Amino acid sequence: MWFSTLRSILFVSWLSAVVPVFAAEPMLVSNSLNTCQEDSMFTASLFKVVYTPNNNTAFLNIVATSSVEGSVVFDIAISAYGYTIIQTTIDPCKVGLAGLCPMTAGKIPLKFNLPVGEEAASQIPGIAYTFPDLDATVRVFLNMTDTKKSVACVEADISNGKTVDLIAVKWVLAIIAGLVLCSSAILNGLGHSNAAAHVASGALSLFGFFQAQAMLGLTAIHLPPVVQSWTQDFQWSMGIINVDFMQDIFTWYQRATGGTPSTIFDSLTTVSVQVEKRALSVMPDAAVDLYRRSAALIPRGAASLMKRGNVMTGSGSYIVYGIQRAAFRGGIETTNLFMTGLVFFCLFVVITIGAVAAFKGFCELAVKQKWMKGDKFLEFRNGWLTVLKGILFRLTLIGYPQMSILCLWEFTQVDSPAEVVLAVFFIVGMTVTLGWASSKVIRIARRSVAMHRNPAYILFSDPQALNKWGFLYIQFRASAYYFIIPVLGYTLVKAMFIAFAQNNNTAQAIGFLLIEAGALIAASVLRPWMDKSTNSFNIAICAVNFINAIFLLIFSDVFNQPPLVNGVIGLILFFLNAIFATVLLLMVIVSTTLIFYRKNPDGRYQFMADDRASFMKSQSQLTGTTELDALAATARGDKAGYKAGLDLDDDNESISSASMRRRTDTSNLAVPTAAPNGAYNRNNNPERPRSPVDPSVPLFPANSGPQRAPSPFNGNSGASQRSQHSDSPPSYRAQNNASPWQRGAGYDH
């Protein structure tokens, strides 16, 4: 049923994406006129041209400002993907262009239909009307007729209206990621912990790849049109989602808190917006220089306002690039971008909390009405607050790349004082929370190593530790529990480069290359994930991210390569990432679907070398194995081993449960004082002594006073205590009882 639903979603999305391609009328469109020469004497604040080959007519709507006087000749060059395909010269006097023969200084409003000859139309290849995100440019030099000197240069980017930036694709990707995450939660609730861990690891890696694709589009590096559209398909993973009524609320909130909203979309009818895809050194330099000179002449307060605003050229049009480019393409005002990402992250958290609470209520109702067996989702029903806490931590980890970029970028924009306060609260709160949780995992693992010579013992045997902190280490092998620290550092450093280097695309490109190279080397050498297939899955993602970083370095024009190289590399990046993303999706979908068709989902995966499966017992097995444990739990008022309450401050209890400490800490066992020194000598008792029941549990008060357990980090004191209470030498256990948790984790030497 799950697979058929997913197949229907894919089919509908394919129809919605393909039908408009065949139904739309072929056309070529340009919406902005950019200057390509310093001191250009011809600029345009509004430029819209639409050519339809069905009637061979071009509609022009231009508001231009000219400083040229006299007769000119237009030297026109049309290029696609950096390769010049058409080059011609047009004399406006010969073709009868009114107002341009001769040209006069002043503002020139032009709005007319221009017939296109059959000869010119035949030179346009048919693929130009169908290939999505066409990277074509028309560059026009205005040369004086008498001197042949170029007095102006303008260029227009051409589009055919076809794009890979499709709403259906975004919905399909989001639904698949959500279903896989929900599938892992359901499998874990049903007790299939091994299968749930693999599905969750795959889902998180897939979502991380989506976010890495979105980060490419947030860089200030000039990207080819197809790369811009491809990365825009993943911006939903960064919370960049346009909802009209929410945008109105964000605009009102910004005004109410002392900010000044941008009005780019309100001015589209009178000015053009240049979506930057060329190097800043080619086209926007004159505009940026003019902006800087103007800012030096105005008061400091106004200058700070302009600093965070959109860049406006001398002709009156806007330039958007980097994060502002992603916001503009998403239909979001740049000053609303931070609040958009923040609110959607909070909504995601609130909806998840409501869904978990509703599922808890449904399970209780279903059991009460005998719609399902009483042992279904038993562990979730007994400790759902602890599970919910772990889910919230996992949501924090998923949303950390998004919020770190947006919060750090808000510090450079200062949309309003209240939004800066929100940015400080979220970036500091999330960073401290994840850092504290990571340190908690490291402390638990070290305690487990000190007590049992294996970090997997407490990490995977204690259900409270697993449910609360498992999101940080369950995807890694037990001995690589620390790897979450490099992952968080990788995310934060990458976010800093994106947010703080928006004005230096070369620094961003080099930073991305170094970061992704380090990630690939660390993943390939350490191989920290749980098994071979998961390592291969994640190393492949790191390799593709590294290749993308190399492409970004090429796009930054640091090698001064011809435009043709950028056009070809853009197509390679699109096809490489599209094919790789499709393969990842199919792998995750097929593996998740097959799990639900198996009678024993855990049997599909091999047990990990760290023997975590032998420790991941159900809570009922952990607390109800003996009658004394059951009586003790009843006396304490526990419910199946879980403490009542939200369990926010009892960090020591999350390290290992009471029953686990009673089983593993032999130093707490009291020795009868009346026994002679040699009563437990090996010669008198050749068999290995059995572990007595802890006499300190409730209902069974100990004869001796309360004893304090020795510190697990002090090996000498622990050894002396064991030698006092045990008749066997320290090597007896290692020689005669090789425990399963000592095998496969590197501690059996």
Side-chain angles (χ1 to χ4, degrees):
M1 181 177 179
W2 186 89
F3 180 73
S4 62
T5 303
L6 180 61
R7 184 173 56 186
S8 302
I9 293 174
L10 292 173
F11 178 71
V12 172
S13 65
W14 179 83
L15 283 179
S16 62
V18 173
V19 170
V21 173
F22 292 102
E25 180 183 6
M27 64 178 64
L28 296 176
V29 182
S30 180
N31 291 317
S32 65
L33 189 67
N34 313 325
T35 58
C36 50
Q37 173 181 313
E38 292 187 4
D39 300 326
S40 180
M41 302 177 67
F42 185 88
T43 59
S45 60
L46 178 64
F47 183 84
K48 292 185 178 181
V49 177
V50 179
Y51 167 68
T52 53
N54 292 342
N55 54 12
N56 284 337
T57 302
F59 171 74
L60 289 83
N61 185 10
I62 304 174
V63 177
T65 301
S66 173
S67 302
V68 181
E69 293 184 349
S71 299
V72 297
V73 176
F74 297 157
D75 188 2
I76 302 175
I78 302 177
S79 61
Y81 299 97
Y83 179 75
T84 302
I85 55 177
I86 299 176
Q87 191 163 6
T88 185
T89 302
I90 296 179
D91 188 344
C93 297
K94 293 182 180 180
V95 297
L97 293 178
L100 299 179
C101 178
M103 293 192 66
T104 59
K107 198 168 187 177
I108 307 175
L110 300 174
K111 191 175 184 179
F112 58 92
N113 290 322
L114 178 65
V116 178
E118 292 289 342
E119 182 180 356
S122 62
Q123 296 182 7
I124 302 175
I127 194 174
Y129 303 105
T130 58
F131 195 83
D133 296 294
L134 180 67
D135 186 6
T137 303
V138 176
R139 176 170 293 188
V140 180
F141 286 93
L142 278 69
N143 302 325
M144 300 301 297
T145 304
D146 50 356
T147 63
K148 307 298 182 181
K149 179 183 178 182
S150 175
V151 294
C153 174
V154 292
E155 67 178 9
D157 297 325
I158 307 299
S159 172
N160 54 18
K162 309 296 189 300
T163 180
V164 297
D165 180 11
L166 301 171
I167 296 180
V169 173
K170 301 175 184 179
W171 274 104
V172 169
L173 295 176
I175 291 174
I176 291 176
L179 287 177
V180 174
L181 286 172
C182 293
S183 300
S184 65
I186 293 174
L187 287 171
N188 189 58
L190 293 174
H192 307 298
S193 56
N194 191 21
H198 282 82
V199 173
S201 177
L204 291 177
S205 299
L206 181 66
F207 197 84
F209 176 73
F210 289 169
Q211 290 180 322
Q213 296 288 291
M215 290 179 188
L216 295 178
L218 296 178
T219 59
I221 301 170
H222 49 285
L223 303 174
V226 68
V227 179
Q228 293 182 25
S229 297
W230 168 253
T231 56
Q232 200 70 26
D233 283 330
F234 300 92
Q235 295 300 339
W236 60 267
S237 65
M238 308 299 291
I240 303 178
I241 305 171
N242 182 20
V243 179
D244 291 337
F245 79 91
M246 295 180 67
Q247 296 302 312
D248 296 335
I249 296 175
F250 301 152
T251 301
W252 167 83
Y253 177 79
Q254 189 177 3
R255 285 198 182 102
T257 54
T260 303
S262 61
T263 57
I264 289 183
F265 290 96
D266 294 336
S267 58
L268 284 180
T269 57
T270 57
V271 298
S272 297
V273 177
Q274 303 173 18
V275 179
E276 188 270 324
K277 71 172 184 178
R278 299 282 186 258
L280 292 176
S281 59
V282 177
M283 179 264 298
D285 260 359
V288 174
D289 290 340
L290 177 62
Y291 156 73
R292 288 173 179 170
R293 292 196 301 268
S294 302
L297 301 176
I298 60 179
R300 181 177 299 179
S304 63
L305 179 64
M306 291 180 63
K307 181 180 179 181
R308 65 177 177 81
N310 301 106
V311 178
M312 178 179 287
T313 67
S315 62
S317 61
Y318 290 101
I319 300 175
V320 293
Y321 58 90
I323 296 178
Q324 293 181 347
R325 176 181 60 205
F328 177 77
R329 290 180 62 98
I332 300 173
E333 292 285 357
T334 55
T335 52
N336 287 344
L337 182 63
F338 169 71
M339 287 300 300
T340 301
L342 173 66
V343 169
F344 271 101
F345 172 73
C346 294
L347 286 177
F348 183 42
V349 173
V350 172
I351 291 173
T352 303
I353 294 174
V356 173
F359 185 69
K360 156 70 174 174
F362 171 78
C363 290
E364 296 295 342
L365 179 63
V367 172
K368 186 176 181 180
Q369 299 294 330
K370 300 187 182 302
W371 297 339
M372 77 178 179
K373 297 180 180 179
D375 58 347
K376 287 291 184 181
F377 300 105
L378 179 61
E379 296 181 18
F380 167 76
R381 286 158 42 213
N382 290 340
W384 74 281
L385 289 177
T386 302
V387 174
L388 178 60
K389 187 190 301 184
I391 292 175
L392 294 180
F393 276 120
R394 176 161 294 184
L395 294 181
T396 304
L397 181 63
I398 292 175
Y400 188 64
Q402 162 194 341
M403 295 307 301
S404 58
I405 292 174
L406 294 179
C407 291
L408 294 176
W409 183 67
E410 177 61 24
F411 296 155
T412 67
Q413 300 300 295
V414 193
D415 294 322
S416 76
E419 293 187 26
V420 174
V421 172
L422 289 174
V424 172
F425 174 78
F426 274 88
I427 186 62
V428 173
M430 296 178 71
T431 303
V432 170
T433 299
L434 292 175
W436 175 78
S438 302
S439 67
K440 189 70 176 177
V441 171
I442 294 176
R443 289 164 53 196
I444 295 174
R446 288 179 176 177
R447 180 184 177 106
S448 182
V449 171
M451 295 175 66
H452 313 289
R453 301 184 62 200
N454 188 348
Y457 190 91
I458 297 180
L459 287 176
F460 293 99
S461 65
D462 182 6
Q464 289 193 359
L466 186 61
N467 286 327
K468 279 196 292 188
W469 318 117
F471 72 100
L472 291 174
Y473 61 82
I474 197 170
Q475 65 268 32
F476 306 121
R477 67 175 189 271
S479 57
Y481 58 86
Y482 59 86
F483 200 75
I484 188 62
I485 298 293
V487 170
L488 294 177
Y490 161 85
T491 302
L492 184 59
V493 173
K494 198 172 181 180
M496 289 180 177
F497 271 97
I498 294 176
F500 295 148
Q502 285 288 305
N503 294 327
N504 194 332
N505 55 5
T506 303
Q508 276 189 338
I510 296 176
F512 263 64
L513 184 65
L514 296 177
I515 293 171
E516 298 299 347
L520 178 60
I521 293 173
S524 302
V525 174
L526 298 177
R527 288 175 290 178
W529 287 275
M530 64 176 74
D531 56 13
K532 184 177 180 180
S533 61
T534 310
N535 274 296
S536 302
F537 190 86
N538 287 276
I539 291 174
I541 292 177
C542 292
V544 173
N545 289 339
F546 176 69
I547 295 174
N548 291 336
I550 297 176
F551 291 161
L552 287 182
L553 187 64
I554 296 175
F555 292 149
S556 66
D557 287 336
V558 69
F559 303 113
N560 198 23
Q561 70 276 2
L564 179 61
V565 175
N566 287 1
V568 174
I569 293 297
L571 293 177
I572 294 175
L573 186 149
F574 165 68
F575 285 111
L576 170 66
N577 286 270
I579 294 173
F580 185 72
T582 303
V583 172
L584 291 184
L585 284 171
L586 291 177
M587 290 176 61
V588 172
I589 292 172
V590 171
S591 62
T592 306
T593 304
L594 291 178
I595 286 176
F596 283 94
Y597 282 99
R598 293 182 67 97
K599 191 172 183 180
N600 180 20
D602 286 338
R604 187 179 183 276
Y605 300 100
Q606 295 181 352
F607 289 104
M608 268 66 73
D610 53 17
D611 279 341
R612 65 178 66 184
S614 62
F615 306 137
M616 296 172 69
K617 300 177 182 180
S618 66
Q619 181 63 19
S620 58
Q621 290 173 323
L622 283 173
T623 59
T625 53
T626 65
E627 183 178 348
L628 293 178
D629 287 336
L631 290 173
T634 304
R636 289 192 302 267
D638 293 353
K639 184 178 181 181
Y642 282 97
K643 286 179 45 175
L646 192 56
D647 191 22
L648 289 175
D649 302 320
D650 52 347
D651 296 333
N652 293 330
E653 291 299 325
S654 67
I655 295 179
S656 63
S657 62
S659 61
M660 289 303 305
R661 288 199 301 272
R662 290 198 304 272
R663 291 192 183 97
T664 58
D665 194 356
T666 59
S667 63
N668 285 334
L669 300 180
V671 178
T673 56
N677 295 334
Y680 292 97
N681 189 277
R682 185 175 180 178
N683 296 329
N684 298 332
N685 188 12
E687 296 181 357
R688 182 171 177 263
R690 299 178 181 178
S691 298
V693 176
D694 186 357
S696 299
V697 297
L699 303 183
F700 295 92
N703 294 328
S704 59
Q707 300 180 7
R708 180 179 179 181
S711 172
F713 302 102
N714 191 346
N716 296 332
S717 62
S720 62
Q721 284 289 105
R722 285 192 298 269
S723 63
Q724 294 175 10
H725 301 313
S726 175
D727 63 340
S728 58
S731 61
Y732 182 87
R733 179 184 179 91
Q735 296 175 358
N736 299 283
N737 189 22
S739 302
W741 55 82
Q742 296 180 9
R743 300 193 301 267
Y747 297 96
D748 52 344
H749 301 292

